[in-house]
Amino acid sequence: MGETIFTKIIRKEIPAEIVYETESVLAFKDIRPQAPVHVLIIPKITEIESAKDLSKEKHSQLLGELFEAANHIAKKLGVFESGFRLVLNSGPDSGQEVPHIHLHLLGGRKMNWPPG
Ligand code: 5GP
């Protein structure tokens, strides 16, 4: 998989407002927030483009870490109790823009359903 803007954020070559970081996961505020809380949670490895590349054998631990990070960040940013939405866009029809798997964590307002 090639480099994306997220690779540069992982390497700290371009700035981002980082809210959580471990050895394997990075989370930072979305540059175009769609809600009062809008954070992108990404693995630091760059080989997973989207959900289609995931397998239980290879990625169970990483997926656990991503969802654990989401809970941690939701608590830190004050939306754990009020609720939040996790979005994983995968592929062209979903509107995925950056080919490096990421969870959107959205909160701080009432969400609509169905999504657009
Ligand atoms: P996708 O559409 O791929 O699911 O989401 C990609 C997200 O990355 C978008 O919400 C977009 O605003 C965000 N984004 C794109 N470039 C940058 C950037 O350089 N910095 C940050 N913080 N977010 C970005």
Side-chain angles (χ1 to χ4, degrees), residues 5-6 9 14-17 28-34 38 40 87-90 94-100 102 104:
I5 194 82
F6 291 175
I9 291 174
I14 64 165
E17 207 176 327
F28 50 91
K29 294 195 178 171
D30 196 293
I31 207 165
R32 294 192 301 270
Q34 303 300 316
H38 188 173
L40 301 171
V87 173
L88 200 175
N89 291 323
S90 190
S94 74
Q96 183 179 8
E97 183 188 308
V98 181
H100 178 134
H102 50 280
H104 294 255

Side-chain angles (χ1 to χ4, degrees), residues 6 9 15-20 26-42 73 76-77 103-105:
F6 291 175
I9 291 174
E17 207 176 327
I18 291 170
V19 297
Y20 179 87
L26 184 70
F28 50 91
K29 294 195 178 171
D30 196 293
I31 207 165
R32 294 192 301 270
Q34 303 300 316
V37 171
H38 188 173
V39 171
L40 301 171
I41 307 168
I42 69 172
I73 295 159
K76 183 173 173 179
L77 300 184
L103 280 179
H104 294 255
L105 188 160

